[in-house]
Each structure stands twice: as structure tokens, then as C-alpha cells.
Amino acid sequence: MEVSRPPPALGGGCLRTLTTLLLLVSTGEKLDPPLPMSPDCGKPQQLNRIVGGQDSVDAQWPWVVSIQKNGTHHCAGSLLTNRWVVTAAHCFKGNLNKPSLFSVLLGAWQLENPGPRSQDVGIAWVLPHPGYSWKDGTRADIALVRLEHSIQFSERILPICLPDSSVHFPPNTDCWIAGWGSIHEGVPLPRPQILQKLKVPIIHSDICSRLYWRGVGQETITEDMLCAGYLEGERDACLGDSGGPLVCELEGLWYQIGIVSWGVGCGQPNRPGVYTNVSLHFDWIRMLRQRSREGLHSLWVNPRGDSQVWALSWTQPSTGPLPYLLASP
């Protein structure tokens, strides 16, 4: 599974317009369970299928979802709970205030034939990390997607586990990526679009930094990025795999340690895939989910999707709506 993603941004500041748009007003939502999300996380229940090549097995990666734009596969993501999906923020660049354009397809193995047990759910809203600057190849490329309604778990639809800072996977650990992206640059996945998988080793951060080094003061690999793949190239993520999970197994559980973020071309030598390091954003994810349990009241974001400010407020029984500023300019 090769991948074509945009190269890193070569400079420039981010716009910090403070114009806001009310996207959602919702109270009295069903409470989410606290982290860890589910006792079933990270435990695929594989069905009895035979597969060859790089095709995955049906239900092998039950947390991988297809984020669709206007009914067509756009990005991948992974299921955290029966209401939350995590993906890359750049998947919604320019469309942050247009959730109706998107939907999430869960439980699909073949995109062309998702089957009666798949579930297609609309998106209520998307919350990108406030540190993301909407420039390709920048830090904090992570977003949480709130589904319009809760979904039912099954053998094909199960959540992934998230690592906190106590879970470590050292360099050279073999991990896996899965997605429906292009198989070569400019070559889309052929019909019936079977979910692809690829084993990729974690690359030491020092090696990754040297490979993408641009000069003093021009750091490309930030503290919340990690690299995985092959220095010789040929095997990589590609266009359409963005937002998908990089997962590793530990003591019988699968953990998502990364999100497909960016790269230079597809499978080029000395240009391994770069992933958002999920563990460094674990507290942010936990904070948002705990806040949503209190009853999400409203969400404002810049309609152009380039603001550094996201203002949310939650309804609390004794005091009413309280603002919560996630980031400031």
C-alpha cells in the first residue's frame, strides 16, 4: 500500500482570524464512558476468510473507518467509542463548517460492497486540535469526529485502544497501517476496493529528523510526529490513507500510536511516512470526552478553518452554559 501525501510546508504563519460560526447547539446528549473507551478495544474478532497479497482479512481491522465526502472515500479514521472517531485534521481543510458533506462508513471491508452489516453515519461536528495550523506537514494533525448518533458494535465494528504516556513502542517495532488509499502514485485502489494492510517498522526519531532535515531553525519533524516505514521505499501509505491508524500489538491488545499525516510522494527512498504521535495528544482527547459527558452545549470555529481559537461551552446543571477556551491566538 503506497501513499502520496503533500510535502511539508516550507514556512509561513497561520491566519488567526477570530470570526466564529455557531456549528452546533446540543444539550442533554447521552453520556460517554470514561477512558479506556471499551473493554472490547483493540480485540479484533476475525472471521474465517482466506486472503492473499496485501488484502486484509474481513473484520481484521474493525476500528478502521472510511470518511466519505459526498459519498466517495476521502480519508480513513479509527473508531474510539460508539460515538467518536479520530482522524487527521487536514482531511477537513476548507470544509470544517460543512459536516453535512461528510459521513463515516463503519464495518466495511470492500468499499464497493460494504455489506448489510456495515453502518453509514453522518457527522455532527469535527474538532481539530487547536495547535494545528492548517498548513501541510505541521504539528498536531489530529481531529476528533463526533458521529450524529451512537453506533452498535459488532465483529466488524469495534474500537481501538489509545496509549497513554506509559505505553511505549521502541524503534524497529513492527506495526501496521490499513486503508483504501492509492496503490501507487496516481493509481487508485482497484475494484472492489478491498481494505489494504501493510506492516511498517517504527523508525528512530533521530533518523527520521535527519532524513527530513531542512536546516537550522527549520524543523520538519516535530515532537508530536513519528516515522514508520522502509528507508528503501516501495512500501508506504498513499493518497486516501490520510487519517488512518498506525497500530501496534502489545500483550494481545492493539493500540493506535499514530495517524497517517504526511509524506513526500509514495514509497520514495529515504522518505518514510510521517504520523501524528497519538500518545502526546491523549490528554487532549480525554479532556474533550470528559467534557462532553457533562453535556456539550455549543461549538464555534472559524468558518475558514484557519483559526487558532476554538471556543466550546458545556451545560452544567447549577450554572448553565460555561465557556471553555481550547486555545488562544
Side-chain angles (χ1 to χ4, degrees):
M1 181 174 64
E2 293 187 341
V3 178
S4 168
R5 290 138 298 162
L10 298 181
C14 61
L15 298 176
R16 302 197 177 189
T17 308
L18 298 183
T19 304
T20 57
L21 175 69
L22 179 62
L23 289 186
L24 173 71
V25 176
S26 176
T27 59
E29 293 194 34
K30 183 178 179 180
L31 300 185
D32 287 321
L35 293 173
M37 287 69 64
S38 167
D40 296 320
C41 79
K43 298 177 183 177
Q45 302 172 24
Q46 294 186 20
L47 304 182
N48 187 20
R49 296 292 181 91
I50 298 175
V51 67
Q54 288 302 110
D55 289 352
S56 71
V57 177
D58 189 9
Q60 185 176 10
W61 313 106
W63 42 79
V64 178
V65 306
S66 169
I67 297 176
Q68 309 217 331
K69 182 179 180 182
N70 293 321
T72 301
H73 176 75
H74 178 64
C75 279
S78 48
L79 188 65
L80 297 182
T81 73
N82 62 358
R83 195 73 188 272
W84 290 93
V85 165
V86 64
T87 186
H90 78 258
C91 291
F92 297 94
K93 184 176 182 179
N95 294 290
L96 195 58
N97 64 331
K98 303 173 183 177
S100 62
L101 295 179
F102 298 90
S103 63
V104 175
L105 179 62
L106 308 101
W109 179 45
Q110 302 179 15
L111 285 186
E112 191 170 274
N113 304 298
R117 297 186 181 180
S118 64
Q119 298 181 48
D120 194 353
V121 184
I123 290 178
W125 48 267
V126 178
L127 184 65
H129 192 284
Y132 186 62
S133 65
W134 301 100
K135 300 289 185 179
D136 293 333
T138 56
R139 67 176 300 276
D141 187 12
I142 181 174
L144 289 180
V145 174
R146 182 73 166 172
L147 302 179
E148 283 187 340
H149 60 78
S150 298
I151 54 90
Q152 296 294 321
F153 293 150
S154 69
E155 73 277 2
R156 290 178 172 84
I157 302 175
L158 291 171
I160 186 64
C161 298
L162 289 187
D164 59 22
S165 58
S166 67
V167 179
H168 299 284
F169 294 93
N172 299 318
T173 298
D174 284 334
C175 301
W176 290 82
I177 55 177
W180 293 276
S182 298
I183 55 174
H184 300 284
E185 287 191 63
V187 182
L189 182 66
R191 301 168 64 181
Q193 295 179 286
I194 297 175
L195 181 65
Q196 301 292 290
K197 63 180 180 179
L198 176 67
K199 181 169 66 175
V200 289
I202 299 175
I203 297 174
H204 196 287
S205 59
D206 290 344
I207 295 176
C208 187
S209 295
R210 288 197 295 269
L211 291 174
Y212 284 104
W213 190 76
R214 292 196 311 243
V216 177
Q218 302 181 64
E219 183 180 30
T220 304
I221 305 301
T222 61
E223 78 286 348
D224 77 329
M225 297 179 186
L226 59 88
C227 290
Y230 301 89
L231 300 187
E232 65 271 23
E234 298 182 0
R235 291 166 288 179
D236 195 4
C238 208
L239 183 67
D241 292 318
S242 289
L246 172 67
V247 297
C248 311
E249 189 177 15
L250 177 65
E251 298 179 352
L253 289 180
W254 287 91
Y255 291 88
Q256 180 173 353
I257 68 165
I259 297 171
V260 178
S261 180
W262 62 272
V264 176
C266 286
Q268 295 187 15
N270 296 319
R271 292 295 183 267
V274 184
Y275 300 79
T276 303
N277 190 330
V278 174
S279 65
L280 294 185
H281 299 293
F282 179 84
D283 290 340
W284 176 72
I285 296 172
R286 180 172 55 182
M287 179 272 296
L288 288 178
R289 292 201 57 253
Q290 289 175 340
R291 288 283 179 172
S292 74
R293 294 175 67 233
E294 301 169 7
L296 182 62
H297 179 69
S298 55
L299 166 66
W300 290 267
V301 295
N302 185 311
R304 293 177 58 186
D306 53 19
S307 174
Q308 286 292 88
V309 171
W310 284 262
L312 292 85
S313 63
W314 283 264
T315 298
Q316 295 188 358
S318 60
T319 59
L322 294 177
Y324 187 82
L325 191 62
L326 294 181
S328 58

